[in-house]
């Protein structure tokens, strides 16, 4: 048994190494894009009085390369902004070793850029850089850096912190959500009863304090491993067998195909019915009893089976939440599911580890009672609301037309209204204890729930509900929308130039987009406008957030409507293509639906494998600036669009 436990730990460690050590060579999902190049800048006086040179150096992460300032497609973009009293002399000069590879100008190891400035009385120059780094297989999302350098001194070196990445912020939001769910699970009826069992086990099983502390720590570790190891192994095996593309296809299938989404929807409804008291969900007693019996063994084997018993017994409450956390995180980078599950399991295991270390804390915990069933019923309402997200994803990707935005909102409004009534004691379920009075805590929760309901009601008439934009079906699915009060009418629809008979897709805010790059380029050649390529997905939460929070900005919307031809590539659309639109990959696999074809196109053309991403093409089809990913910085998005127009 000790060998078995050691092998489990070794496998887990190997899976961790798999996603950390080779990350640089595996492109967009291995590294923070802002850290793929480490920048430093210095200022030196030249032989001419009042003239200085600014030398910007960027050390490229091992295994990656970037592109020259003069490359026609994926150029690194560097700008120097002088303060008052400082002026630029000419343009920036690139001193990097530039290589020609497949028609592109590539830089390895180090980027070096020189800019001359005139400064009689000193001053500062602000510097910003944007770039993409690539391996032999994939490219990272857009990286960004900002720094300042003081001129007028012989040498001043300043290395600024990288700009915050909204993609990283999104990942941290998922991690925080996973941690909160992990702690919340302690209060569920199938987890809370394990508290005295844990305390009893460690009180009788500790021969001395040191051994007790070691076993308590291992108990927490085993709980974490039992939750995290399976998802880590799935990712590891798929990546080893077929590389990033296979792992991406599996996650894409899991997140967007009708079968897993319908299964998750049904499972959530079943769990909700169980939480409401219709029946009790338990794992086979033989499995739980066998695990519990093995927990009586001495040593680490007993601790492991105690942890396994906890995981199995708590499954009926943790299962749906684990599924929700994993499904949401699969829309991000490949390592995100593993990290979010690690965060959830650590938060879930922490209270039990502390109780195992200090069993006397049990006396301070509240006793089991009717409040536990109330927690279960509230979770049931949440299960219903979350479950319809899975049905909505399938509905969007397969164009069934079942859950338009107002239908989805109506379900949520009714669901949370009933939750509020339950908290006020106006509804009772089979296993509820009589409620003699409303506590202040229940009243506060009820106020919060009803406030949320009031917030959602305007959405029935077309209000954007930006806080929920990632969860709701797109607003263009809504049948009725109130006029735009600022303009006295509906938002004007973008006029796309003639030049193609291709179908136009309706996007939010009255925007229209072609459904292929070729059709968009055809229209671009007629109009002379560049092309904005929206790499998106029907089930993409971050895409809806970008549309609701960034695209809705008047300046962004004006540029998109007036200055660009738009193209939307949905990478999760399941609509079948006619045979003449099928494509065959290098491995011989035939791609027959819109989503798979678009996924292949964006991987080959832009080197990206996630949504959202945005690319700006010239009418000739050249990539004008590096691809931009999920980033809620409106000013940054405006600069991105304007940089394409400048090109």
């Amino acid at each position: 048994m000790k060998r078995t436990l050691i092998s489990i730990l070794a496998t887990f460690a190997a899976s961790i190494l798999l996603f950390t050590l080779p990350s640089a060579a595996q492109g967009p999902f291995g590294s923070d894009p802002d850290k793929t190049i480490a920048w430093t800048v210095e200022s030196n006086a030249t032989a001419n009085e009042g003239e200085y040179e600014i030398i910007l150096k960027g050390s490229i992460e091992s295994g990656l390369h970037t592109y020259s300032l003069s490359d026609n497609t994926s150029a690194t973009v560097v700008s120097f902004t002088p303060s008052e009293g400082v002026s630029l002399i000419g343009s920036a000069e690139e001193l990097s070793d530039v290589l020609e590879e497949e028609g592109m100008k590539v830089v390895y190891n180090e980027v070096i850029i020189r800019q001359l400035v005139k400064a009689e009385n000193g001053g500062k120059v602000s510097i910003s850089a944007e770039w993409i780094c690539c391996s032999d297989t994939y490219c990272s999302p857009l990286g960004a850096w900002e720094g300042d350098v003081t001129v007028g001194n012989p040498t001043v070196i300043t290395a600024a912190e990288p700009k915050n990445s909204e993609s990283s912020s999104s990942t941290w939001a998922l991690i925080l959500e996973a941690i909160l769910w992990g702690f919340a699970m302690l209060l569920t009826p199938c987890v809370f009863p394990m508290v005295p069992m844990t305390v009893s086990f460690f009180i009788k099983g500790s021969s001395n304090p040191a051994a007790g502390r070691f076993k308590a720590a291992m108990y927490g570790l085993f709980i974490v491993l039992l939750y995290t190891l399976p998802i880590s192994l799935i990712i590891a095996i798929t990546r080893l067998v077929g590389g990033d593309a296979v792992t991406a296809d599996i996650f894409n299938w899991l997140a967007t195909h009708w079968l897993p989404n319908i299964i998750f929807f049904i499972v959530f409804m079943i769990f909700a019915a169980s939480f409401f008291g219709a029946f009790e969900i338990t794992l086979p007693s033989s499995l739980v009893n066998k695990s519990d019996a093995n927990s009586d063994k001495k040593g680490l084997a007993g601790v492991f089976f105690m942890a396994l018993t906890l995981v199995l017994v708590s499954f009926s409450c943790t299962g749906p939440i684990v599924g929700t956390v994993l499904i949401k995180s699969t829309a991000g980078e490949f390592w995100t599911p593993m990290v979010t599950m690690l965060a959830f399991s650590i938060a879930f295991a922490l209270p039990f580890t502390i109780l195992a270390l200090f069993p006397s804390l049990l006396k301070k915990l509240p006793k089991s009672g009717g409040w536990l069933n109330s927690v279960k019923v509230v979770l049931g309402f949440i299960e219903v609301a979350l479950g319809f997200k899975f049905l909505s994803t399938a509905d969007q990707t397969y164009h069934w037309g079942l859950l338009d935005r107002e239908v989805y909102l109506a379900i949520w409004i009714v669901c949370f209204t009933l939750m509020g009534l339950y908290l006020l004691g106006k509804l009772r379920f089979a296993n509820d204890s009589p409620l003699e009075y409303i506590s202040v805590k229940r009243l506060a929760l009820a106020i919060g729930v009803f406030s949320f309901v009031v917030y959602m009601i305007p959405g029935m008439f077309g209000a954007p509900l930006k806080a929920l934009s990632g969860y709701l079906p797109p607003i263009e699915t809504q049948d009725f929308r109130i006029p735009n009060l600022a303009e006295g009418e509906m938002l004007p629809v973008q006029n796309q130039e003639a030049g193609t008979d291709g179908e136009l897709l309706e996007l939010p805010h009255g925007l229209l987009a072609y459904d292929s790059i070729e059709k968009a380029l055809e229209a671009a050649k007629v109009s002379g406008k560049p092309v904005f390529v929206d790499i998106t997905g029907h089930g993409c939460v971050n895409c809806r957030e970008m549309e609701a929070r960034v695209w809705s900005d008047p300046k962004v919307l004006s540029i998109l409507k007036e200055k660009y031809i738009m193209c939307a590539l949905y990478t999760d659309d399941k609509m079948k293509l006619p045979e003449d639109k099928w494509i065959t990959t290098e491995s011989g696999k035939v791609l027959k639906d819109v989503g798979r074809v678009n996924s292949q196109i964006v991987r080959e053309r832009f080197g990206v494998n996630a949504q959202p991403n945005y690319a700006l093409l010239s009418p000739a089809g050249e990539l004008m600036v590096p691809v931009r990913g999920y980033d809620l910085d409106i000013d940054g998005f405006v600069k991105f669009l304007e940089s394409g127009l400048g090109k």
Side-chain angles (χ1 to χ4, degrees):
M1 177 56 67
K2 288 183 179 180
R3 290 184 178 180
T4 302
L5 296 174
I6 292 173
S7 66
I8 291 174
L9 292 171
T11 305
F12 179 73
S15 66
I16 295 289
L17 289 174
L18 178 66
F19 300 103
T20 54
L21 295 181
S23 59
Q26 292 175 347
F29 307 107
S31 304
D32 181 343
D34 290 346
K35 296 180 181 178
T36 51
I37 298 182
W39 297 93
T40 58
V41 58
E42 63 182 52
S43 169
N44 302 310
T46 69
N48 300 324
E49 186 176 353
E51 183 180 284
Y52 300 86
E53 65 173 7
I54 296 174
I55 304 295
L56 177 66
K57 294 182 180 180
S59 178
I60 304 171
E61 187 174 327
S62 176
L64 301 180
H65 61 264
T66 190
Y67 298 92
S68 167
L69 270 65
S70 59
D71 186 73
N72 291 326
T73 56
S74 303
T76 299
V77 178
V78 176
S79 63
F80 295 85
T81 305
S83 65
E84 186 176 353
V86 182
S87 59
L88 303 182
I89 302 175
S91 302
E93 177 186 4
E94 186 170 14
L95 306 179
S96 317
D97 292 329
V98 180
L99 304 177
E100 288 277 352
E101 292 185 1
E102 300 180 357
M104 304 185 79
K105 297 180 180 180
V106 179
V107 178
Y108 288 89
N109 300 323
E110 188 175 45
V111 178
I112 305 175
I113 299 167
R114 180 175 183 259
Q115 173 69 59
L116 292 176
V117 299
K118 189 77 171 178
E120 297 292 344
N121 299 310
K124 286 187 177 182
V125 176
S126 298
I127 308 169
S128 65
E130 291 186 343
W131 70 93
I132 58 173
C133 280
C134 299
S135 67
D136 294 335
T137 309
Y138 291 109
C139 295
S140 71
L142 184 69
W145 178 88
E146 290 181 348
D148 295 319
V149 64
T150 301
V151 296
N153 297 322
T155 302
V156 178
I157 299 177
T158 306
E161 292 295 324
K163 284 180 17 177
N164 290 331
S165 165
E166 284 296 334
S167 177
S168 300
S169 299
S170 176
T171 301
W172 279 110
L174 281 170
I175 292 173
L176 178 60
E177 180 180 348
I179 291 172
L180 293 176
W181 276 120
F183 285 131
M185 287 300 97
L186 179 66
L187 301 179
T188 57
C190 39
V191 177
F192 195 81
M194 289 297 296
V195 170
M197 184 176 175
T198 296
V199 173
S200 174
F201 176 85
F202 282 95
I203 286 178
K204 69 180 182 181
S206 301
S207 56
N208 60 72
R213 288 192 293 270
F214 175 72
K215 288 183 178 181
M218 292 305 298
Y219 180 56
L221 177 61
F222 286 141
I223 295 172
V224 172
L225 289 178
L226 288 167
Y227 276 106
T228 309
L229 188 60
I231 189 65
S232 302
L233 289 177
I234 290 172
I235 300 174
I237 292 170
T238 55
R239 180 168 287 181
L240 287 173
V241 171
D244 289 334
V246 172
T247 312
D249 285 342
I250 289 176
F251 280 154
N252 180 271
W253 181 87
L254 186 65
T256 63
H257 194 275
W258 70 269
L259 181 59
N261 277 284
I262 293 299
I263 290 174
F264 281 123
F265 169 71
I266 294 173
V267 167
F268 268 59
M269 296 304 106
I270 291 174
F271 272 99
S274 172
F275 288 173
F276 292 147
F279 45 80
E280 190 70 27
I281 296 178
T282 58
L283 289 174
S285 57
S286 58
L287 181 63
V288 177
N289 291 338
K290 186 175 182 179
S291 174
D292 188 38
N294 285 323
S295 69
D296 290 333
K297 296 180 179 179
K298 295 182 179 180
L300 287 181
V303 176
F304 173 78
F305 282 105
M306 182 65 193
L308 180 61
T309 301
L310 170 63
V311 171
L312 293 175
V313 169
S314 62
F315 173 77
S316 61
C317 288
T318 61
I321 303 304
V322 168
T324 302
V325 170
L326 282 180
I327 290 296
K328 290 181 68 174
S329 62
T330 56
E333 300 173 350
F334 287 157
W335 52 266
T336 307
M338 186 178 68
V339 173
T340 51
M341 184 49 56
L342 181 65
F344 171 86
S345 58
I346 289 175
F348 179 75
L350 186 60
F352 289 96
T353 306
I354 293 174
L355 287 171
L357 284 168
F358 309 103
S360 60
L361 291 177
L362 178 64
K363 298 177 182 178
K364 300 181 180 180
L365 290 176
K367 304 298 181 182
S368 298
W371 67 274
L372 275 179
N373 192 69
S374 297
V375 171
K376 198 172 183 179
V377 171
V378 169
L379 280 175
F381 285 113
I382 296 175
E383 293 286 291
V384 172
L386 291 177
F388 273 94
K389 175 59 180 172
F390 296 107
L391 182 59
S392 175
T393 298
D395 179 59
Q396 292 297 315
T397 55
Y398 287 89
H399 307 285
W400 293 338
L402 298 176
L403 280 178
D404 289 346
R405 192 170 183 267
E406 65 267 34
V407 176
Y408 190 95
L409 270 172
I411 294 171
W412 271 42
I413 289 171
V414 170
C415 183
F416 284 99
T417 298
L418 292 175
M419 183 196 293
L421 293 174
Y422 174 78
L423 290 170
L424 293 177
K426 303 301 181 182
L427 291 177
R428 281 186 58 190
F429 289 86
N431 298 323
D432 281 327
S433 302
L435 189 64
E436 297 181 2
Y437 62 92
I438 303 295
S439 67
V440 174
K441 293 178 182 178
R442 287 182 77 114
L443 178 61
L445 286 173
I447 292 173
V449 170
F450 281 120
S451 299
F452 181 54
V453 170
V454 172
Y455 170 78
M456 288 191 288
I457 290 174
M460 295 290 291
F461 307 98
L465 303 184
K466 292 184 180 181
L468 297 176
S469 56
Y471 295 89
L472 301 178
I475 197 168
E476 57 265 25
T477 66
Q478 189 146 341
D479 296 327
F480 175 70
R481 283 174 265 175
I482 58 175
N484 184 280
L485 298 180
E487 302 181 18
E489 56 184 2
M490 294 297 291
L491 288 169
V493 175
Q494 175 190 35
N495 292 319
Q496 292 282 30
E497 272 66 8
T500 176
D501 57 358
E503 179 184 355
L504 290 174
L505 305 174
E506 183 184 356
L507 301 182
H509 316 299
L511 294 167
L512 296 176
Y514 292 102
D515 58 3
S516 76
I517 293 177
E518 290 72 22
K519 296 173 184 176
L521 289 175
E522 186 179 343
K525 290 173 183 176
V526 174
S527 66
K529 296 179 180 180
V531 175
F532 176 89
V533 182
D534 176 23
I535 302 167
T536 185
H538 295 294
C540 171
V541 173
N542 288 343
C543 301
R544 304 294 85 78
E545 280 197 275
M546 284 293 296
E547 293 161 1
R549 300 188 184 189
V550 179
W551 289 20
S552 61
D553 179 78
K555 192 169 184 180
V556 172
L557 198 55
S558 174
I559 296 175
L560 290 176
K561 284 179 180 289
E562 299 172 9
K563 303 294 179 65
Y564 279 95
I565 299 296
M566 297 190 67
C567 169
L569 300 180
Y570 285 89
T571 59
D572 59 2
D573 196 303
K574 306 304 180 183
M575 186 171 64
K576 297 299 180 183
L577 289 167
E579 190 170 349
D580 62 334
K581 299 291 181 66
W582 296 355
I583 65 174
T584 304
T585 65
E586 292 181 358
S587 62
K589 187 176 182 180
V590 180
L591 307 179
K592 302 179 180 180
D593 61 54
V594 172
R596 287 180 179 273
V597 168
N598 285 340
S599 293
Q600 183 71 12
I601 289 171
V602 299
R603 277 200 294 261
E604 291 180 348
R605 188 157 189 161
F606 305 117
V608 297
N609 208 4
Q611 312 88 41
N613 271 292
Y614 307 102
L616 305 180
L617 302 180
S618 70
E622 297 176 342
L623 184 66
M624 298 185 293
V625 296
V627 175
R628 185 179 180 89
Y630 172 79
D631 191 330
L632 297 178
D633 179 6
I634 294 175
D635 290 337
F637 200 80
V638 170
K639 291 179 182 178
F640 168 69
L641 296 175
E642 290 177 340
S643 67
L645 297 174
K647 288 280 185 177

